[in-house]
Coordinates of all heavy atoms in Angstrom, one line a residue:
A164 N 31.0 -18.0 -168.4 CA 30.9 -16.9 -167.5 C 32.2 -16.8 -166.7 O 32.7 -15.7 -166.5 CB 29.8 -17.2 -166.5
L165 N 32.8 -17.9 -166.3 CA 34.0 -17.9 -165.6 C 35.1 -17.2 -166.4 O 35.9 -16.4 -165.9 CB 34.5 -19.4 -165.3 CG 35.5 -19.6 -164.2 CD1 34.9 -19.2 -162.9 CD2 35.8 -21.1 -164.2
E166 N 35.1 -17.5 -167.8 CA 36.1 -16.9 -168.6 C 35.9 -15.4 -168.8 O 36.8 -14.6 -168.6 CB 36.0 -17.6 -170.0 CG 37.2 -17.5 -170.8 CD 37.1 -18.3 -172.1 OE1 37.0 -19.5 -172.1 OE2 37.0 -17.6 -173.2
S167 N 34.6 -15.0 -169.0 CA 34.3 -13.5 -169.1 C 34.7 -12.8 -167.8 O 35.4 -11.8 -167.9 CB 32.8 -13.3 -169.3 OG 32.3 -14.1 -170.3
V168 N 34.4 -13.4 -166.7 CA 34.7 -12.7 -165.4 C 36.2 -12.6 -165.2 O 36.7 -11.6 -164.8 CB 34.0 -13.5 -164.2 CG1 34.6 -13.1 -162.9 CG2 32.5 -13.2 -164.2
G169 N 36.9 -13.7 -165.5 CA 38.3 -13.7 -165.4 C 39.0 -12.6 -166.3 O 39.9 -11.9 -165.8
K170 N 38.5 -12.5 -167.5 CA 39.1 -11.5 -168.4 C 38.9 -10.1 -167.9 O 39.7 -9.2 -168.1 CB 38.6 -11.7 -169.8 CG 39.2 -12.9 -170.5 CD 38.5 -13.0 -171.9 CE 39.1 -14.2 -172.7 NZ 38.2 -14.6 -173.8
I171 N 37.7 -9.8 -167.5 CA 37.3 -8.5 -167.0 C 38.2 -8.1 -165.8 O 38.7 -7.0 -165.7 CB 35.8 -8.4 -166.7 CG1 35.0 -8.4 -168.0 CG2 35.5 -7.2 -165.8 CD1 33.6 -8.7 -167.8
R172 N 38.3 -9.1 -164.9 CA 39.2 -8.8 -163.7 C 40.6 -8.6 -164.1 O 41.3 -7.8 -163.5 CB 39.1 -9.9 -162.7 CG 37.7 -10.1 -162.1 CD 37.3 -9.0 -161.1 NE 38.0 -9.3 -159.8 CZ 39.0 -8.6 -159.3 NH1 39.4 -7.6 -159.9 NH2 39.5 -9.0 -158.2
N173 N 41.1 -9.3 -165.1 CA 42.4 -9.2 -165.6 C 42.8 -7.8 -166.1 O 43.9 -7.3 -166.0 CB 42.8 -10.2 -166.7 CG 43.2 -11.5 -166.1 OD1 43.6 -11.6 -165.0 ND2 43.1 -12.6 -166.9
I174 N 41.8 -7.1 -166.7 CA 42.1 -5.8 -167.2 C 42.0 -4.7 -166.1 O 42.2 -3.5 -166.3 CB 41.3 -5.4 -168.5 CG1 39.8 -5.3 -168.2 CG2 41.6 -6.3 -169.7 CD1 39.0 -4.8 -169.4
G175 N 41.6 -5.2 -164.9 CA 41.6 -4.2 -163.8 C 40.2 -3.6 -163.5 O 40.1 -2.7 -162.6
V176 N 39.2 -4.1 -164.1 CA 37.8 -3.6 -163.8 C 37.2 -4.4 -162.7 O 37.5 -5.6 -162.7 CB 36.9 -3.7 -165.1 CG1 35.5 -3.4 -164.8 CG2 37.4 -2.7 -166.2
S177 N 36.5 -3.8 -161.8 CA 35.9 -4.5 -160.6 C 34.6 -5.1 -161.0 O 33.9 -4.7 -161.9 CB 35.7 -3.6 -159.4 OG 37.0 -3.1 -159.0
L178 N 34.2 -6.1 -160.2 CA 32.9 -6.8 -160.4 C 32.1 -6.9 -159.2 O 32.6 -7.4 -158.1 CB 33.1 -8.2 -161.0 CG 33.3 -8.2 -162.5 CD1 33.8 -9.6 -162.9 CD2 32.1 -7.9 -163.3
A179 N 30.8 -6.4 -159.2 CA 29.9 -6.6 -158.1 C 28.8 -7.6 -158.4 O 28.4 -7.6 -159.6 CB 29.4 -5.2 -157.7
L180 N 28.4 -8.3 -157.5 CA 27.3 -9.2 -157.6 C 26.1 -8.5 -157.1 O 26.0 -8.3 -155.9 CB 27.5 -10.5 -156.9 CG 26.5 -11.6 -157.2 CD1 26.3 -11.9 -158.7 CD2 26.9 -12.9 -156.5
D181 N 25.2 -8.1 -158.0 CA 24.0 -7.3 -157.7 C 22.9 -8.1 -157.1 O 22.8 -9.3 -157.4 CB 23.6 -6.6 -159.0 CG 22.9 -5.3 -158.7 OD1 22.5 -4.9 -157.6 OD2 22.6 -4.5 -159.7
D182 N 22.0 -7.5 -156.4 CA 20.7 -8.1 -155.9 C 21.0 -9.4 -155.2 O 20.2 -10.4 -155.3 CB 19.8 -8.4 -157.1 CG 19.5 -7.2 -157.9 OD1 19.7 -6.1 -157.4 OD2 19.1 -7.3 -159.1
F183 N 22.1 -9.5 -154.4 CA 22.4 -10.7 -153.7 C 21.4 -11.0 -152.7 O 21.0 -10.1 -151.9 CB 23.8 -10.6 -153.1 CG 24.3 -11.9 -152.5 CD1 24.8 -12.9 -153.4 CD2 24.2 -12.2 -151.2 CE1 25.2 -14.1 -152.9 CE2 24.6 -13.4 -150.7 CZ 25.1 -14.3 -151.5
G184 N 20.9 -12.2 -152.6 CA 19.9 -12.6 -151.6 C 18.5 -12.6 -152.2 O 17.6 -12.9 -151.4
S185 N 18.4 -12.3 -153.5 CA 17.0 -12.2 -154.0 C 16.7 -13.3 -155.0 O 15.6 -13.5 -155.4 CB 16.8 -10.9 -154.8 OG 17.6 -10.9 -155.9
G186 N 17.7 -14.1 -155.3 CA 17.5 -15.1 -156.3 C 17.7 -16.5 -155.8 O 17.2 -16.9 -154.8
Y187 N 18.5 -17.3 -156.6 CA 18.7 -18.7 -156.2 C 19.7 -18.9 -155.1 O 19.7 -19.8 -154.4 CB 19.1 -19.5 -157.5 CG 18.1 -19.3 -158.6 CD1 18.3 -18.3 -159.5 CD2 17.0 -20.2 -158.6 CE1 17.3 -18.2 -160.6 CE2 16.1 -20.0 -159.7 CZ 16.2 -19.0 -160.6 OH 15.3 -18.9 -161.6
A188 N 20.7 -17.9 -155.1 CA 21.7 -17.9 -154.1 C 22.3 -19.3 -153.8 O 22.4 -19.8 -152.7 CB 21.1 -17.4 -152.7
S189 N 22.8 -19.9 -154.9 CA 23.7 -21.0 -154.7 C 25.1 -20.5 -154.5 O 25.6 -19.8 -155.3 CB 23.7 -21.9 -156.0 OG 24.9 -22.4 -156.3
F190 N 25.6 -20.8 -153.3 CA 26.8 -20.1 -152.9 C 28.1 -20.6 -153.5 O 29.1 -20.0 -153.4 CB 27.0 -20.1 -151.4 CG 26.0 -19.3 -150.6 CD1 25.9 -19.4 -149.3 CD2 25.1 -18.4 -151.3 CE1 24.9 -18.6 -148.6 CE2 24.2 -17.7 -150.7 CZ 24.1 -17.8 -149.3
G191 N 28.0 -21.8 -154.2 CA 29.2 -22.4 -154.7 C 30.0 -21.5 -155.7 O 31.2 -21.4 -155.6
Y192 N 29.2 -20.7 -156.5 CA 29.9 -19.9 -157.5 C 30.8 -18.8 -156.8 O 31.7 -18.3 -157.4 CB 29.0 -19.3 -158.5 CG 27.8 -18.5 -158.0 CD1 28.0 -17.3 -157.4 CD2 26.5 -19.0 -158.0 CE1 27.0 -16.5 -156.9 CE2 25.5 -18.2 -157.5 CZ 25.7 -17.0 -157.0 OH 24.7 -16.3 -156.5
L193 N 30.4 -18.4 -155.6 CA 31.2 -17.4 -154.9 C 32.7 -17.8 -154.7 O 33.6 -17.0 -154.7 CB 30.6 -17.0 -153.5 CG 29.3 -16.3 -153.6 CD1 28.8 -16.1 -152.2 CD2 29.4 -15.0 -154.3
A194 N 32.8 -19.2 -154.6 CA 34.2 -19.7 -154.5 C 34.9 -19.7 -155.8 O 36.1 -19.6 -155.9 CB 34.1 -21.1 -153.9
D195 N 34.2 -19.9 -156.9 CA 34.8 -20.1 -158.2 C 35.1 -18.8 -158.9 O 36.0 -18.7 -159.7 CB 33.9 -20.9 -159.1 CG 33.6 -22.3 -158.6 OD1 34.5 -22.8 -157.8 OD2 32.5 -22.8 -158.8
F196 N 34.3 -17.7 -158.6 CA 34.4 -16.5 -159.4 C 35.1 -15.4 -158.6 O 34.9 -15.3 -157.4 CB 33.0 -16.0 -159.8 CG 32.4 -16.8 -160.8 CD1 31.6 -17.9 -160.5 CD2 32.5 -16.5 -162.2 CE1 31.1 -18.7 -161.5 CE2 32.0 -17.3 -163.2 CZ 31.2 -18.4 -162.8
N197 N 36.0 -14.7 -159.3 CA 36.8 -13.7 -158.6 C 36.0 -12.4 -158.6 O 36.2 -11.6 -159.5 CB 38.1 -13.6 -159.4 CG 39.1 -12.7 -158.8 OD1 38.9 -12.2 -157.7 ND2 40.2 -12.5 -159.4
L198 N 35.2 -12.2 -157.6 CA 34.4 -10.9 -157.6 C 35.0 -10.0 -156.6 O 35.9 -10.3 -155.9 CB 33.0 -11.3 -157.1 CG 32.2 -12.3 -158.0 CD1 31.0 -12.8 -157.2 CD2 31.8 -11.7 -159.3
N199 N 34.5 -8.7 -156.6 CA 35.0 -7.7 -155.6 C 34.0 -7.4 -154.6 O 34.3 -7.0 -153.5 CB 35.4 -6.4 -156.4 CG 36.4 -6.6 -157.4 OD1 36.1 -7.0 -158.5 ND2 37.6 -6.4 -157.0
Q200 N 32.7 -7.4 -154.9 CA 31.7 -6.9 -154.0 C 30.4 -7.7 -154.1 O 30.0 -8.2 -155.2 CB 31.5 -5.4 -154.5 CG 30.5 -4.7 -153.7 CD 30.4 -3.2 -154.1 OE1 29.6 -2.8 -154.9 NE2 31.3 -2.4 -153.5
L201 N 29.7 -7.7 -153.0 CA 28.3 -8.2 -152.9 C 27.4 -7.0 -152.6 O 27.7 -6.2 -151.7 CB 28.1 -9.2 -151.8 CG 28.8 -10.6 -151.9 CD1 28.3 -11.5 -150.7 CD2 28.5 -11.3 -153.2
K202 N 26.3 -6.9 -153.4 CA 25.3 -5.9 -153.1 C 24.1 -6.6 -152.6 O 23.5 -7.4 -153.3 CB 25.0 -5.1 -154.4 CG 26.2 -4.3 -154.9 CD 25.8 -3.3 -156.0 CE 25.1 -2.1 -155.4 NZ 24.8 -1.1 -156.5
I203 N 23.8 -6.3 -151.3 CA 22.6 -6.9 -150.7 C 21.3 -6.4 -151.3 O 21.1 -5.1 -151.3 CB 22.6 -6.6 -149.2 CG1 24.0 -7.1 -148.6 CG2 21.4 -7.3 -148.5 CD1 24.1 -6.8 -147.1
D204 N 20.5 -7.2 -151.7 CA 19.2 -6.8 -152.4 C 18.3 -6.1 -151.4 O 18.3 -6.4 -150.2 CB 18.5 -8.0 -152.9 CG 17.3 -7.6 -153.9 OD1 17.7 -7.1 -154.9 OD2 16.2 -7.7 -153.5
R205 N 17.7 -5.1 -152.0 CA 16.9 -4.2 -151.1 C 15.7 -4.9 -150.5 O 15.2 -4.5 -149.4 CB 16.4 -2.9 -151.8 CG 15.4 -3.1 -152.9 CD 14.8 -1.8 -153.3 NE 13.8 -1.9 -154.2 CZ 14.0 -1.8 -155.5 NH1 15.2 -1.6 -156.0 NH2 13.0 -2.0 -156.4
S206 N 15.3 -6.1 -151.0 CA 14.2 -6.8 -150.4 C 14.6 -7.3 -149.0 O 13.7 -7.5 -148.2 CB 13.8 -8.0 -151.3 OG 14.9 -8.9 -151.4
L207 N 15.8 -7.5 -148.8 CA 16.3 -8.0 -147.5 C 16.3 -6.8 -146.4 O 16.3 -7.1 -145.2 CB 17.7 -8.6 -147.5 CG 17.8 -9.9 -148.3 CD1 19.2 -10.4 -148.4 CD2 16.9 -11.0 -147.6
L208 N 16.2 -5.6 -146.9 CA 16.2 -4.5 -146.0 C 14.8 -4.0 -145.7 O 14.7 -3.2 -144.7 CB 17.1 -3.3 -146.6 CG 18.5 -3.4 -146.2 CD1 19.3 -4.2 -147.3 CD2 19.1 -2.0 -146.0
S209 N 13.9 -4.4 -146.4 CA 12.5 -3.8 -146.4 C 11.9 -3.8 -145.0 O 11.5 -2.7 -144.5 CB 11.6 -4.4 -147.4 OG 11.5 -5.8 -147.2
D210 N 11.8 -4.9 -144.3 CA 11.3 -4.8 -142.9 C 12.3 -5.3 -141.9 O 11.9 -6.1 -141.0 CB 9.9 -5.4 -142.8 CG 9.7 -6.6 -143.7 OD1 10.5 -7.5 -143.6 OD2 8.7 -6.5 -144.5
L211 N 13.5 -4.8 -142.1 CA 14.6 -5.1 -141.2 C 14.3 -4.9 -139.7 O 14.5 -5.8 -138.9 CB 15.8 -4.3 -141.6 CG 17.2 -4.8 -141.3 CD1 17.4 -6.1 -141.9 CD2 18.2 -3.8 -141.8
A212 N 13.7 -3.7 -139.4 CA 13.5 -3.4 -138.0 C 12.6 -4.4 -137.3 O 12.8 -4.7 -136.1 CB 12.9 -2.0 -137.9
S213 N 11.6 -4.9 -138.0 CA 10.6 -5.7 -137.3 C 11.0 -7.2 -137.5 O 10.3 -8.1 -136.9 CB 9.2 -5.5 -137.9 OG 9.2 -5.8 -139.3
S214 N 12.0 -7.5 -138.2 CA 12.3 -9.0 -138.4 C 13.7 -9.3 -138.0 O 14.7 -9.0 -138.6 CB 12.1 -9.3 -139.9 OG 12.7 -10.6 -140.2
T215 N 13.7 -10.0 -136.8 CA 15.0 -10.4 -136.3 C 15.7 -11.4 -137.3 O 16.9 -11.4 -137.4 CB 14.9 -11.1 -134.9 OG1 13.8 -10.5 -134.3 CG2 16.1 -11.0 -134.1
K216 N 14.9 -12.2 -137.9 CA 15.4 -13.2 -138.9 C 16.1 -12.5 -140.1 O 17.2 -12.9 -140.5 CB 14.3 -14.1 -139.4 CG 14.0 -15.2 -138.3 CD 13.0 -16.2 -138.9 CE 12.7 -17.2 -137.8 NZ 11.5 -18.1 -138.2
K217 N 15.4 -11.4 -140.6 CA 16.1 -10.7 -141.7 C 17.4 -10.1 -141.2 O 18.3 -10.0 -141.9 CB 15.1 -9.7 -142.2 CG 14.2 -10.2 -143.4 CD 13.6 -9.1 -144.2 CE 12.8 -9.8 -145.3 NZ 12.0 -8.8 -146.0
Q218 N 17.4 -9.6 -140.0 CA 18.6 -9.0 -139.5 C 19.7 -10.0 -139.5 O 20.8 -9.7 -139.8 CB 18.4 -8.5 -138.0 CG 17.5 -7.3 -138.0 CD 17.1 -6.8 -136.6 OE1 17.8 -7.2 -135.6 NE2 16.1 -6.0 -136.4
N219 N 19.3 -11.2 -139.1 CA 20.3 -12.3 -139.1 C 20.8 -12.7 -140.5 O 22.0 -13.0 -140.6 CB 19.8 -13.5 -138.3 CG 19.7 -13.3 -136.8 OD1 20.5 -12.5 -136.3 ND2 18.8 -14.0 -136.2
V220 N 19.9 -12.6 -141.4 CA 20.3 -12.9 -142.8 C 21.3 -11.9 -143.3 O 22.3 -12.2 -143.9 CB 19.1 -13.0 -143.7 CG1 19.5 -13.1 -145.2 CG2 18.2 -14.2 -143.4
V221 N 21.0 -10.6 -143.0 CA 21.9 -9.5 -143.5 C 23.2 -9.7 -142.8 O 24.3 -9.5 -143.4 CB 21.2 -8.1 -143.2 CG1 22.2 -7.0 -143.5 CG2 20.0 -8.0 -144.1
R222 N 23.2 -9.9 -141.4 CA 24.4 -10.2 -140.7 C 25.3 -11.3 -141.3 O 26.5 -11.2 -141.5 CB 24.1 -10.6 -139.3 CG 24.4 -9.5 -138.3 CD 24.1 -10.1 -136.9 NE 23.5 -9.0 -136.1 CZ 22.3 -9.1 -135.6 NH1 21.5 -10.2 -135.7 NH2 21.8 -8.0 -135.0

Side-chain angles (χ1 to χ4, degrees):
L165 200 63
E166 205 177 290
S167 313
V168 164
K170 284 179 180 163
I171 287 164
R172 296 284 284 110
N173 275 341
I174 63 172
V176 170
S177 298
L178 278 170
L180 187 56
D181 206 352
D182 303 340
F183 189 77
S185 70
Y187 304 92
S189 145
F190 291 171
Y192 57 69
L193 290 177
D195 300 330
F196 289 86
N197 187 5
L198 302 167
N199 301 83
Q200 182 173 94
L201 291 187
K202 292 190 79 174
I203 304 176
D204 192 69
R205 67 166 186 268
S206 62
L207 291 176
L208 272 90
S209 58
D210 29 57
L211 201 60
S213 60
S214 168
T215 329
K216 283 186 179 168
K217 271 198 178 170
Q218 291 175 16
N219 287 334
V220 172
V221 171
R222 255 185 219 115

